[in-house]
Amino acid sequence: MALPAHATPVEKVWHYAYLVICALIFVFLIVPIIIIVPLSFNAEPYFTFTEGMLGFESDAYSTRWYQDIFKNGMLNPEAPLSWAWFSDAWNNAQWIRATRNSFFIATISTIVATTLGTLAALGLSRPEMPARSLITGLLISPMIVPLVITATGMFFFYSDIGLAKTYTGVILAHATLGIPFVIITVTATLSSFDTSLIRASASCGATPTTTFFKIIMPLILPGMISGALFAFITSLDEVVVMLFVADVEQRTIPRQMFSGLREQISPTILAVATVLVIISIGLLTTVELLRRRSERLRGLSPG
Amino acid sequence: MADSALSSQRLHDVPDQLTTADGIPLKRKLAISMRRARWRAFLMTAPLVIFMLISFVLPIGQMLTRSVYNDSFSKALPNFSLALRDWDQSASSDGLPDEALFKLLAEDMAVARKDRTIGRAATRINYDHSGTRSLFMGAARKAKNFEAPYKETFLDLKPKWSNVEMWAAMKRVASDTTTGFYLAAVDRTYDVNNDVVEQAEVRQIYVKLFWRTLYLAGVITVLCFLLAYPVAYLLSVLPLAKSNLLMILVLLPFWTSLLVRTTAWIALLQTEGIVNDVLVWLGIISDDGRVQMIYNQMGTIIAMTHILLPFMVLPLYSVMKTIPPSYMRAARSLGANQFTAFVKVYFPQTIPGIAAGTLLVFILAIGYYITPALVGGQDGQLISNIIAFHMQKSLNWSLAAALGSILLAGVLILYWLYNKLIGIDNLKFG
């Protein structure tokens, strides 16, 4: 994107103006996410920077909101750090319970979505597959259909069959919402998959199961993991279905944040948000590394 | 024409002569193995298709049913409803039913009050004819002691029982299926002659809300496009190492929780927030003149633009990446200036990406719920918010279902268009 030597002054101005505009858009994209990190260390219960924070005074910063994540809801948060304290936190602290619920629901629903999704993507990628675009359209639609509508439908349905306010109901719902991402990522990986490998494997005497685990799976694993991570984060970030079909019992992190933002805004939410940003950085890095690995394996990019 | 007929004739002949080792004609053998392969492919997809039919299609189908089916009135007052359905309003001179029907009403009401189902029936009639809930509850409280003549007893209790419009509404809700909720969803209602008329002006809210949803989604889509286009272009022309680095700035928001981003915008935009602080510090506004940037339409637009921007950048980027830079150079060398070359050569080639990005962002925007609920205030709410309101607060589930069905129909049309233009298989992330 270097400026050619023969550029006219007008073109130079345009060029730099363009770069400034792009820089501003990147600022718009990233600043809201970065800004909450220092804010979460605010010593005061505010959602904004205090004078002391801007002056870098050490007593304007504190980790009290991070401690609050662990303590909020405990029976006796000031007790000495002992087994009793930890079991109190594990069982009673609201955010810890929400985290436990979130990870439990996300893990099971990801396993369901990835297993069924990968199998279906394998079927869809076969050239003989009948009604492919119709079925693909159906399987991807949970991503497109407004969540309120999905949640409304699930609310009625689950109430009728007794799954409302149960973990099973929430897990089923989250698996449904995660499936489009598994289908999209695994299908993308399979699009460059060389099907003659399957025939070669069969002609060497391998059973279909052996072929799957020894030939297909290692090659599509990056896509499967990306899809699983997408499904996982979809579940970890889902609120609407939680609002409609879940109960206090199944309260998750986003559900807890939602009511926190509606009722009393406490900087604890900023501390939780910071932790979530760190989790997303981790997931993003993993997906990016997987993508590069699979490109390298297929010789799409050098090194 | 003759040639192709001949060759197809020849093809047709061949399999009769060729057989496999077990004596089956090759053509049949091929058909069998094709069918088996098709079945195998289908069976691999089947578990998920069944799963989705149960967990997704069936629930939504049930919601659609609820938008036209509501039996809460006839369930609470069964005998009265049955008789009311056959009653002909134009037959009587005063437009009111006769003594027998009033008697059934009194009896059913007494039972319904004992079973505590009268409230549901009263709510149901109240949807169609507002202000009748208390009338119903009041009569039901005393229905146990009513005696003949029933008609007079009712009319003496409250003169409102002689309201013919209310009786017309009652006749409508006595049947279990109704188009009334769809009419309500588009600000229409029935009058006494069962003709469709516009709702009273003060009660016309849904059409306005649908338009506002389309308008806000449109504004957000345009803003996303304006912001995404230059960024996607920059990413597509930079060398890979640099563009990968900048791509992280697009992907990180994409991977960050919706609630985290909404929280961040609350911190930035509130009156005591960072943006206002900076503006005051810069002297652009005074400390008392802080701008309300959140809990209104502006909040919805800013936060949703930020949240949906990556969905615009990624499709644009993947299209721009495939445009050879030599086309622009060729245009320049043929005498076009930068602007002409861009408009005539570059821009038309990015249209597939624009279509993909705008459609995706628009589809996602019209269904948004969480962000408008948190930062939208009164006038930044979208249609999803009112659906959620009717689901959770007013408990008018049939109206929620009717509003939801209209929204769903709109989304499915756009989705169909997306599939037609871009192909859903081309959807990619990162």
Side-chain angles (χ1 to χ4, degrees):
Chain A
M1 188 66 206
L3 205 57
H6 55 76
T8 61
V10 179
E11 279 176 356
K12 275 185 193 158
V13 171
W14 260 112
H15 179 76
Y16 288 112
Y18 168 72
L19 289 184
V20 169
I21 290 170
C22 283
L24 288 175
I25 299 168
F26 281 119
V27 166
F28 171 75
L29 271 168
I30 210 75
V31 160
I33 293 164
I34 303 299
I35 206 91
I36 52 174
V37 179
L39 274 184
S40 66
F41 291 100
N42 199 339
E44 304 294 327
Y46 301 136
F47 250 43
T48 187
F49 287 104
T50 56
E51 299 264 327
M53 291 180 91
L54 295 172
F56 293 106
E57 291 162 25
S58 61
D59 57 349
Y61 291 87
S62 88
T63 55
R64 58 185 279 208
W65 308 114
Y66 288 88
Q67 292 169 23
D68 194 50
I69 299 180
F70 292 100
K71 289 181 180 169
N72 189 5
M74 276 173 70
L75 299 176
N76 186 10
E78 304 311 326
L81 284 182
S82 65
W83 270 117
W85 189 91
F86 282 111
S87 94
D88 188 7
W90 179 253
N91 291 316
N92 297 320
Q94 282 174 14
W95 287 103
I96 290 182
R97 286 186 61 111
T99 310
R100 280 164 55 192
N101 279 336
S102 271
F103 276 82
F104 172 68
I105 292 166
T107 306
I108 311 262
S109 60
T110 301
I111 292 171
V112 174
T114 314
T115 318
L116 290 175
T118 305
L119 190 64
L122 283 170
L124 283 172
S125 70
R126 294 198 168 213
E128 309 89 11
M129 182 67 202
R132 181 188 291 120
S133 80
L134 185 75
I135 292 178
T136 316
L138 167 74
L139 298 182
I140 293 187
S141 52
M143 200 187 97
I144 298 292
V145 170
L147 275 170
V148 163
I149 293 174
T150 311
T152 303
M154 286 175 170
F155 169 78
F156 292 135
F157 184 65
Y158 287 170
S159 308
D160 285 358
I161 60 172
L163 281 181
K165 302 183 176 190
T166 65
Y167 280 100
T168 317
V170 173
I171 287 168
L172 277 181
H174 280 196
T176 308
L177 295 177
I179 276 162
F181 299 100
V182 178
I183 297 280
I184 290 171
T185 47
V186 178
T187 312
T189 324
L190 281 169
S191 67
S192 54
F193 181 78
D194 186 358
T195 41
S196 58
L197 286 176
I198 299 177
R199 278 198 296 277
S201 161
S203 75
C204 292
T207 62
T209 327
T210 318
T211 308
F212 177 77
F213 284 106
K214 298 257 165 167
I215 310 287
I216 305 177
M217 183 124 151
L219 281 168
I220 64 165
L221 199 61
M224 278 174 72
I225 297 177
S226 307
L229 290 178
F230 260 116
F232 190 79
I233 203 146
T234 306
S235 166
L236 216 56
D237 195 20
E238 207 287 323
V239 214
V240 188
V241 169
M242 297 306 296
L243 286 171
F244 279 68
V245 303
D247 202 2
V248 194
E249 177 77 4
Q250 295 97 32
R251 185 165 277 226
T252 54
I253 302 173
R255 179 69 187 75
Q256 180 94 3
M257 282 180 87
F258 183 79
S259 44
L261 285 171
R262 279 213 144 168
E263 289 144 22
Q264 24 51 293
I265 298 184
S266 131
T268 310
I269 291 175
L270 291 174
V272 174
T274 305
V275 175
L276 288 179
V277 169
I278 292 165
I279 293 178
S280 23
I281 291 175
L283 288 177
L284 169 66
T285 316
T286 317
V287 171
E288 189 61 18
L289 290 177
L290 284 171
R291 193 180 60 85
R292 290 190 190 173
R293 178 179 180 273
S294 93
E295 278 186 0
R296 204 168 53 237
L297 280 181
R298 282 190 253 117
L300 289 177
S301 88
Chain B
M1 214 39 220
D3 236 26
S4 70
L6 196 70
S7 65
S8 82
Q9 183 67 37
R10 199 177 294 145
L11 266 176
H12 207 73
D13 289 345
V14 171
D16 289 341
Q17 295 148 14
L18 280 180
T19 54
T20 52
D22 45 3
I24 303 166
L26 187 59
K27 196 179 164 195
R28 259 213 8 242
K29 190 83 176 174
L30 192 68
I32 291 169
S33 95
M34 276 300 285
R35 199 179 314 136
R36 197 176 297 152
R38 210 175 297 148
W39 266 108
R40 202 177 297 143
F42 182 73
L43 282 179
M44 289 170 92
T45 321
L48 185 57
V49 172
I50 294 167
F51 178 86
M52 290 295 261
L53 287 177
I54 295 172
S55 72
F56 186 71
V57 179
L58 198 65
I60 288 183
Q62 205 186 7
M63 182 207 76
L64 296 181
T65 327
R66 202 171 280 261
S67 65
V68 289
Y69 183 87
N70 190 322
D71 60 357
S72 46
F73 191 85
S74 62
K75 227 175 169 175
L77 310 166
N79 301 325
F80 171 67
S81 294
L82 211 60
L84 192 63
R85 277 180 221 171
D86 299 329
W87 167 61
D88 182 8
Q89 193 164 16
S90 55
S92 59
S93 55
D94 57 355
L96 297 179
D98 54 11
E99 177 69 13
L101 218 56
F102 273 103
K103 181 167 184 275
L104 280 177
L105 176 59
E107 288 166 2
D108 272 5
M109 266 184 164
V111 176
R113 173 155 158 82
K114 219 173 78 199
D115 299 344
R116 292 159 189 254
T117 53
I118 186 69
R120 259 172 265 164
T123 310
R124 174 70 187 91
I125 175 75
N126 200 52
Y127 291 149
D128 254 54
H129 194 89
S130 58
T132 42
R133 193 171 199 282
S134 56
L135 184 74
F136 248 72
M137 297 308 279
R141 253 194 306 277
K142 296 174 187 144
K144 204 169 57 182
N145 307 320
F146 280 0
E147 282 167 7
Y150 290 96
K151 185 168 178 176
E152 260 173 54
T153 318
F154 269 99
L155 295 185
D156 286 347
L157 188 70
K158 278 272 162 68
K160 229 179 148 186
W161 280 105
S162 62
N163 183 345
V164 283
E165 279 178 37
M166 188 192 75
W167 278 98
M170 251 199 296
K171 187 174 154 67
R172 279 196 304 273
V173 301
S175 83
D176 295 341
T177 53
T178 172
T179 52
F181 293 107
Y182 277 101
L183 286 180
V186 291
D187 290 337
R188 299 283 192 283
T189 184
Y190 288 111
D191 67 0
V192 64
N193 302 318
N194 266 339
D195 292 326
V196 176
V197 291
E198 281 198 12
Q199 192 77 264
E201 194 115 2
V202 283
R203 290 166 56 91
Q204 292 185 10
I205 43 174
Y206 301 116
V207 172
K208 241 181 269 173
L209 199 58
F210 274 113
W211 281 119
R212 188 208 281 166
T213 304
L214 290 179
Y215 163 75
L216 283 179
V219 170
I220 290 158
T221 309
V222 169
L223 281 175
C224 278
F225 169 69
L226 292 178
L227 295 179
Y229 202 88
V231 163
Y233 178 73
L234 185 71
L235 289 172
S236 75
V237 294
L238 281 180
L240 205 63
K242 277 187 192 169
S243 77
N244 269 344
L245 204 66
L246 285 178
M247 193 53 135
I248 291 172
L249 301 184
V250 178
L251 289 177
L252 183 60
F254 184 66
W255 279 90
T256 304
S257 161
L258 184 77
L259 281 156
V260 169
R261 292 200 265 166
T262 311
T263 312
W265 281 112
I266 292 175
L268 280 166
L269 295 180
Q270 62 179 332
T271 21
E272 298 297 320
I274 295 157
V275 173
N276 264 311
D277 283 351
V278 171
L279 290 177
V280 169
W281 181 69
L282 288 173
I284 296 174
I285 54 173
S286 69
D287 202 16
D288 334 310
R290 285 172 178 264
V291 190
Q292 180 77 29
M293 285 181 281
I294 205 167
Y295 308 122
N296 55 21
Q297 258 180 32
M298 197 168 162
T300 302
I301 293 173
I302 295 176
M304 278 180 64
T305 303
H306 181 251
I307 287 162
L308 293 172
L309 192 50
F311 288 96
M312 186 73 91
V313 175
L314 295 175
L316 277 175
Y317 168 78
S318 66
V319 167
M320 287 175 174
K321 198 75 198 155
T322 63
I323 300 174
S326 54
Y327 286 13
M328 275 289 267
R329 284 204 292 273
R332 293 299 306 273
S333 78
L334 288 170
N337 63 28
Q338 190 92 30
F339 181 74
T340 320
F342 173 77
V343 171
K344 299 248 164 161
V345 175
Y346 193 80
F347 187 78
Q349 296 184 76
T350 60
I351 284 176
I354 298 174
T358 46
L359 267 174
L360 189 60
V361 168
F362 193 79
I363 291 175
L364 294 176
I366 56 175
Y368 247 64
Y369 165 58
I370 293 296
T371 308
L374 288 172
V375 300
Q378 270 297 319
D379 58 350
Q381 304 278 306
L382 303 183
I383 196 73
S384 287
N385 299 97
I386 199 86
I387 296 174
F389 167 79
H390 283 306
M391 283 300 294
Q392 296 172 316
K393 297 274 160 60
S394 86
L395 302 183
N396 191 348
W397 291 344
S398 289
L399 181 58
L403 289 165
S405 311
I406 296 174
L407 176 62
L408 181 65
V411 166
L412 288 183
I413 291 170
L414 289 170
Y415 182 40
W416 174 80
L417 196 68
Y418 183 96
N419 203 3
K420 194 108 186 151
L421 291 177
I422 297 118
I424 197 68
D425 327 5
N426 293 328
L427 204 60
K428 277 194 202 93
F429 302 108

mmCIF file of all heavy atoms in Angstrom, chain A residues 256-287:
data_model
loop_
_atom_site.group_PDB
_atom_site.id
_atom_site.type_symbol
_atom_site.label_atom_id
_atom_site.label_comp_id
_atom_site.label_asym_id
_atom_site.label_seq_id
_atom_site.Cartn_x
_atom_site.Cartn_y
_atom_site.Cartn_z
ATOM 1 N N GLN A 256 -26.304 -13.544 34.112
ATOM 2 C CA GLN A 256 -26.004 -12.770 35.303
ATOM 3 C C GLN A 256 -25.591 -11.341 34.927
ATOM 4 O O GLN A 256 -25.993 -10.374 35.575
ATOM 5 C CB GLN A 256 -24.863 -13.480 36.054
ATOM 6 C CG GLN A 256 -24.424 -12.821 37.329
ATOM 7 C CD GLN A 256 -25.152 -13.413 38.519
ATOM 8 O OE1 GLN A 256 -25.941 -14.345 38.381
ATOM 9 N NE2 GLN A 256 -24.908 -12.874 39.685
ATOM 10 N N MET A 257 -24.812 -11.214 33.846
ATOM 11 C CA MET A 257 -24.396 -9.877 33.389
ATOM 12 C C MET A 257 -25.605 -9.077 32.934
ATOM 13 O O MET A 257 -25.718 -7.887 33.203
ATOM 14 C CB MET A 257 -23.419 -9.993 32.221
ATOM 15 C CG MET A 257 -22.016 -10.338 32.604
ATOM 16 S SD MET A 257 -20.965 -10.454 31.163
ATOM 17 C CE MET A 257 -20.449 -8.762 30.980
ATOM 18 N N PHE A 258 -26.510 -9.753 32.216
ATOM 19 C CA PHE A 258 -27.691 -9.060 31.682
ATOM 20 C C PHE A 258 -28.505 -8.458 32.818
ATOM 21 O O PHE A 258 -28.852 -7.280 32.793
ATOM 22 C CB PHE A 258 -28.538 -10.039 30.868
ATOM 23 C CG PHE A 258 -29.732 -9.406 30.212
ATOM 24 C CD1 PHE A 258 -29.601 -8.672 29.046
ATOM 25 C CD2 PHE A 258 -30.989 -9.529 30.771
ATOM 26 C CE1 PHE A 258 -30.696 -8.084 28.446
ATOM 27 C CE2 PHE A 258 -32.094 -8.948 30.179
ATOM 28 C CZ PHE A 258 -31.947 -8.226 29.010
ATOM 29 N N SER A 259 -28.767 -9.260 33.850
ATOM 30 C CA SER A 259 -29.573 -8.688 34.930
ATOM 31 C C SER A 259 -28.775 -7.649 35.702
ATOM 32 O O SER A 259 -29.341 -6.663 36.167
ATOM 33 C CB SER A 259 -30.134 -9.785 35.847
ATOM 34 O OG SER A 259 -29.154 -10.722 36.138
ATOM 35 N N GLY A 260 -27.450 -7.845 35.781
ATOM 36 C CA GLY A 260 -26.614 -6.844 36.438
ATOM 37 C C GLY A 260 -26.669 -5.503 35.720
ATOM 38 O O GLY A 260 -26.774 -4.449 36.347
ATOM 39 N N LEU A 261 -26.642 -5.536 34.389
ATOM 40 C CA LEU A 261 -26.663 -4.293 33.611
ATOM 41 C C LEU A 261 -28.034 -3.634 33.687
ATOM 42 O O LEU A 261 -28.161 -2.427 33.499
ATOM 43 C CB LEU A 261 -26.319 -4.577 32.144
ATOM 44 C CG LEU A 261 -24.852 -4.860 31.857
ATOM 45 C CD1 LEU A 261 -24.683 -5.336 30.429
ATOM 46 C CD2 LEU A 261 -24.016 -3.629 32.094
ATOM 47 N N ARG A 262 -29.070 -4.431 33.913
ATOM 48 C CA ARG A 262 -30.417 -3.868 33.969
ATOM 49 C C ARG A 262 -30.719 -3.306 35.349
ATOM 50 O O ARG A 262 -31.421 -2.318 35.462
ATOM 51 C CB ARG A 262 -31.437 -4.958 33.652
ATOM 52 C CG ARG A 262 -31.571 -5.180 32.194
ATOM 53 C CD ARG A 262 -32.988 -5.559 31.910
ATOM 54 N NE ARG A 262 -33.414 -5.006 30.651
ATOM 55 C CZ ARG A 262 -34.543 -5.381 30.050
ATOM 56 N NH1 ARG A 262 -35.310 -6.280 30.616
ATOM 57 N NH2 ARG A 262 -34.891 -4.837 28.919
ATOM 58 N N GLU A 263 -30.215 -3.990 36.389
ATOM 59 C CA GLU A 263 -30.607 -3.595 37.737
ATOM 60 C C GLU A 263 -29.615 -2.599 38.341
ATOM 61 O O GLU A 263 -29.784 -1.403 38.177
ATOM 62 C CB GLU A 263 -30.813 -4.850 38.597
ATOM 63 C CG GLU A 263 -32.077 -5.581 38.172
ATOM 64 C CD GLU A 263 -31.963 -7.091 38.245
ATOM 65 O OE1 GLU A 263 -31.101 -7.597 39.001
ATOM 66 O OE2 GLU A 263 -32.731 -7.774 37.539
ATOM 67 N N GLN A 264 -28.555 -3.098 39.005
ATOM 68 C CA GLN A 264 -27.584 -2.117 39.483
ATOM 69 C C GLN A 264 -26.263 -2.349 38.779
ATOM 70 O O GLN A 264 -25.716 -3.436 38.810
ATOM 71 C CB GLN A 264 -27.393 -2.104 41.000
ATOM 72 C CG GLN A 264 -27.707 -3.334 41.842
ATOM 73 C CD GLN A 264 -27.092 -4.628 41.379
ATOM 74 O OE1 GLN A 264 -27.440 -5.142 40.338
ATOM 75 N NE2 GLN A 264 -26.174 -5.145 42.174
ATOM 76 N N ILE A 265 -25.752 -1.287 38.152
ATOM 77 C CA ILE A 265 -24.504 -1.439 37.415
ATOM 78 C C ILE A 265 -23.344 -1.367 38.399
ATOM 79 O O ILE A 265 -23.093 -0.342 38.989
ATOM 80 C CB ILE A 265 -24.379 -0.338 36.345
ATOM 81 C CG1 ILE A 265 -25.528 -0.474 35.346
ATOM 82 C CG2 ILE A 265 -23.051 -0.441 35.648
ATOM 83 C CD1 ILE A 265 -25.438 0.495 34.207
ATOM 84 N N SER A 266 -22.669 -2.502 38.563
ATOM 85 C CA SER A 266 -21.519 -2.507 39.459
ATOM 86 C C SER A 266 -20.275 -2.828 38.631
ATOM 87 O O SER A 266 -20.339 -3.583 37.668
ATOM 88 C CB SER A 266 -21.727 -3.554 40.550
ATOM 89 O OG SER A 266 -20.590 -4.369 40.678
ATOM 90 N N PRO A 267 -19.131 -2.239 38.992
ATOM 91 C CA PRO A 267 -17.902 -2.508 38.228
ATOM 92 C C PRO A 267 -17.492 -3.974 38.248
ATOM 93 O O PRO A 267 -16.604 -4.363 37.486
ATOM 94 C CB PRO A 267 -16.855 -1.640 38.921
ATOM 95 C CG PRO A 267 -17.634 -0.566 39.579
ATOM 96 C CD PRO A 267 -18.918 -1.200 40.011
ATOM 97 N N THR A 268 -18.133 -4.781 39.091
ATOM 98 C CA THR A 268 -17.840 -6.220 39.041
ATOM 99 C C THR A 268 -18.074 -6.744 37.627
ATOM 100 O O THR A 268 -17.343 -7.603 37.142
ATOM 101 C CB THR A 268 -18.757 -6.983 40.017
ATOM 102 O OG1 THR A 268 -18.700 -6.334 41.275
ATOM 103 C CG2 THR A 268 -18.316 -8.412 40.155
ATOM 104 N N ILE A 269 -19.099 -6.175 36.971
ATOM 105 C CA ILE A 269 -19.386 -6.594 35.593
ATOM 106 C C ILE A 269 -18.187 -6.302 34.692
ATOM 107 O O ILE A 269 -17.853 -7.098 33.812
ATOM 108 C CB ILE A 269 -20.659 -5.883 35.086
ATOM 109 C CG1 ILE A 269 -21.861 -6.430 35.848
ATOM 110 C CG2 ILE A 269 -20.834 -6.058 33.593
ATOM 111 C CD1 ILE A 269 -23.144 -5.738 35.533
ATOM 112 N N LEU A 270 -17.511 -5.170 34.950
ATOM 113 C CA LEU A 270 -16.323 -4.845 34.146
ATOM 114 C C LEU A 270 -15.207 -5.859 34.399
ATOM 115 O O LEU A 270 -14.493 -6.253 33.469
ATOM 116 C CB LEU A 270 -15.826 -3.437 34.478
ATOM 117 C CG LEU A 270 -16.733 -2.293 34.024
ATOM 118 C CD1 LEU A 270 -16.201 -0.972 34.529
ATOM 119 C CD2 LEU A 270 -16.836 -2.273 32.507
ATOM 120 N N ALA A 271 -15.076 -6.281 35.650
ATOM 121 C CA ALA A 271 -14.052 -7.281 35.959
ATOM 122 C C ALA A 271 -14.371 -8.599 35.249
ATOM 123 O O ALA A 271 -13.492 -9.219 34.647
ATOM 124 C CB ALA A 271 -13.973 -7.492 37.474
ATOM 125 N N VAL A 272 -15.657 -8.983 35.290
ATOM 126 C CA VAL A 272 -16.067 -10.208 34.587
ATOM 127 C C VAL A 272 -15.811 -10.047 33.089
ATOM 128 O O VAL A 272 -15.279 -10.943 32.426
ATOM 129 C CB VAL A 272 -17.554 -10.506 34.849
ATOM 130 C CG1 VAL A 272 -18.017 -11.681 34.014
ATOM 131 C CG2 VAL A 272 -17.792 -10.774 36.314
ATOM 132 N N ALA A 273 -16.162 -8.853 32.566
ATOM 133 C CA ALA A 273 -15.968 -8.593 31.136
ATOM 134 C C ALA A 273 -14.497 -8.729 30.758
ATOM 135 O O ALA A 273 -14.164 -9.304 29.718
ATOM 136 C CB ALA A 273 -16.485 -7.204 30.788
ATOM 137 N N THR A 274 -13.617 -8.227 31.627
ATOM 138 C CA THR A 274 -12.182 -8.337 31.337
ATOM 139 C C THR A 274 -11.763 -9.798 31.247
ATOM 140 O O THR A 274 -11.031 -10.193 30.332
ATOM 141 C CB THR A 274 -11.382 -7.617 32.435
ATOM 142 O OG1 THR A 274 -11.859 -6.281 32.535
ATOM 143 C CG2 THR A 274 -9.906 -7.606 32.099
ATOM 144 N N VAL A 275 -12.254 -10.601 32.192
ATOM 145 C CA VAL A 275 -11.927 -12.026 32.152
ATOM 146 C C VAL A 275 -12.431 -12.643 30.848
ATOM 147 O O VAL A 275 -11.717 -13.403 30.189
ATOM 148 C CB VAL A 275 -12.538 -12.759 33.369
ATOM 149 C CG1 VAL A 275 -12.300 -14.249 33.264
ATOM 150 C CG2 VAL A 275 -11.957 -12.214 34.659
ATOM 151 N N LEU A 276 -13.647 -12.257 30.440
ATOM 152 C CA LEU A 276 -14.209 -12.810 29.198
ATOM 153 C C LEU A 276 -13.384 -12.380 27.986
ATOM 154 O O LEU A 276 -13.222 -13.141 27.036
ATOM 155 C CB LEU A 276 -15.659 -12.372 29.029
ATOM 156 C CG LEU A 276 -16.667 -13.024 29.975
ATOM 157 C CD1 LEU A 276 -18.054 -12.484 29.731
ATOM 158 C CD2 LEU A 276 -16.665 -14.533 29.803
ATOM 159 N N VAL A 277 -12.876 -11.129 28.001
ATOM 160 C CA VAL A 277 -12.035 -10.674 26.885
ATOM 161 C C VAL A 277 -10.786 -11.541 26.802
ATOM 162 O O VAL A 277 -10.379 -11.959 25.713
ATOM 163 C CB VAL A 277 -11.659 -9.182 27.045
ATOM 164 C CG1 VAL A 277 -10.577 -8.791 26.054
ATOM 165 C CG2 VAL A 277 -12.881 -8.313 26.862
ATOM 166 N N ILE A 278 -10.211 -11.849 27.961
ATOM 167 C CA ILE A 278 -9.003 -12.686 27.954
ATOM 168 C C ILE A 278 -9.334 -14.075 27.386
ATOM 169 O O ILE A 278 -8.578 -14.621 26.581
ATOM 170 C CB ILE A 278 -8.405 -12.772 29.371
ATOM 171 C CG1 ILE A 278 -7.855 -11.392 29.746
ATOM 172 C CG2 ILE A 278 -7.304 -13.819 29.441
ATOM 173 C CD1 ILE A 278 -7.564 -11.193 31.193
ATOM 174 N N ILE A 279 -10.504 -14.600 27.768
ATOM 175 C CA ILE A 279 -10.920 -15.895 27.205
ATOM 176 C C ILE A 279 -11.063 -15.794 25.692
ATOM 177 O O ILE A 279 -10.593 -16.658 24.947
ATOM 178 C CB ILE A 279 -12.245 -16.367 27.844
ATOM 179 C CG1 ILE A 279 -12.017 -16.697 29.321
ATOM 180 C CG2 ILE A 279 -12.795 -17.587 27.107
ATOM 181 C CD1 ILE A 279 -13.268 -17.134 30.052
ATOM 182 N N SER A 280 -11.666 -14.694 25.206
ATOM 183 C CA SER A 280 -11.843 -14.608 23.742
ATOM 184 C C SER A 280 -10.516 -14.452 23.027
ATOM 185 O O SER A 280 -10.352 -14.947 21.914
ATOM 186 C CB SER A 280 -12.814 -13.511 23.329
ATOM 187 O OG SER A 280 -12.946 -12.534 24.271
ATOM 188 N N ILE A 281 -9.561 -13.751 23.657
ATOM 189 C CA ILE A 281 -8.238 -13.656 23.024
ATOM 190 C C ILE A 281 -7.642 -15.065 22.893
ATOM 191 O O ILE A 281 -7.107 -15.431 21.845
ATOM 192 C CB ILE A 281 -7.299 -12.738 23.838
ATOM 193 C CG1 ILE A 281 -7.788 -11.287 23.742
ATOM 194 C CG2 ILE A 281 -5.861 -12.846 23.337
ATOM 195 C CD1 ILE A 281 -7.012 -10.308 24.594
ATOM 196 N N GLY A 282 -7.790 -15.857 23.947
ATOM 197 C CA GLY A 282 -7.285 -17.234 23.915
ATOM 198 C C GLY A 282 -7.937 -18.044 22.808
ATOM 199 O O GLY A 282 -7.259 -18.711 22.025
ATOM 200 N N LEU A 283 -9.253 -17.944 22.705
ATOM 201 C CA LEU A 283 -9.975 -18.716 21.683
ATOM 202 C C LEU A 283 -9.587 -18.244 20.282
ATOM 203 O O LEU A 283 -9.367 -19.048 19.379
ATOM 204 C CB LEU A 283 -11.478 -18.560 21.880
ATOM 205 C CG LEU A 283 -12.067 -19.276 23.096
ATOM 206 C CD1 LEU A 283 -13.547 -18.986 23.207
ATOM 207 C CD2 LEU A 283 -11.851 -20.772 22.971
ATOM 208 N N LEU A 284 -9.502 -16.923 20.119
ATOM 209 C CA LEU A 284 -9.139 -16.363 18.813
ATOM 210 C C LEU A 284 -7.767 -16.870 18.378
ATOM 211 O O LEU A 284 -7.576 -17.285 17.235
ATOM 212 C CB LEU A 284 -9.148 -14.833 18.887
ATOM 213 C CG LEU A 284 -8.542 -14.088 17.711
ATOM 214 C CD1 LEU A 284 -9.361 -14.305 16.462
ATOM 215 C CD2 LEU A 284 -8.449 -12.601 17.998
ATOM 216 N N THR A 285 -6.818 -16.848 19.324
ATOM 217 C CA THR A 285 -5.473 -17.312 19.004
ATOM 218 C C THR A 285 -5.512 -18.776 18.572
ATOM 219 O O THR A 285 -4.902 -19.154 17.567
ATOM 220 C CB THR A 285 -4.568 -17.167 20.244
ATOM 221 O OG1 THR A 285 -4.823 -15.895 20.832
ATOM 222 C CG2 THR A 285 -3.114 -17.274 19.868
ATOM 223 N N THR A 286 -6.247 -19.587 19.318
ATOM 224 C CA THR A 286 -6.330 -21.011 18.973
ATOM 225 C C THR A 286 -6.888 -21.202 17.563
ATOM 226 O O THR A 286 -6.323 -21.938 16.756
ATOM 227 C CB THR A 286 -7.253 -21.732 19.972
ATOM 228 O OG1 THR A 286 -6.964 -21.265 21.277
ATOM 229 C CG2 THR A 286 -7.062 -23.217 19.899
ATOM 230 N N VAL A 287 -7.997 -20.524 17.269
ATOM 231 C CA VAL A 287 -8.617 -20.685 15.956
ATOM 232 C C VAL A 287 -7.670 -20.226 14.850
ATOM 233 O O VAL A 287 -7.536 -20.869 13.815
ATOM 234 C CB VAL A 287 -9.940 -19.886 15.899
ATOM 235 C CG1 VAL A 287 -10.477 -19.848 14.490
ATOM 236 C CG2 VAL A 287 -10.958 -20.518 16.819
#
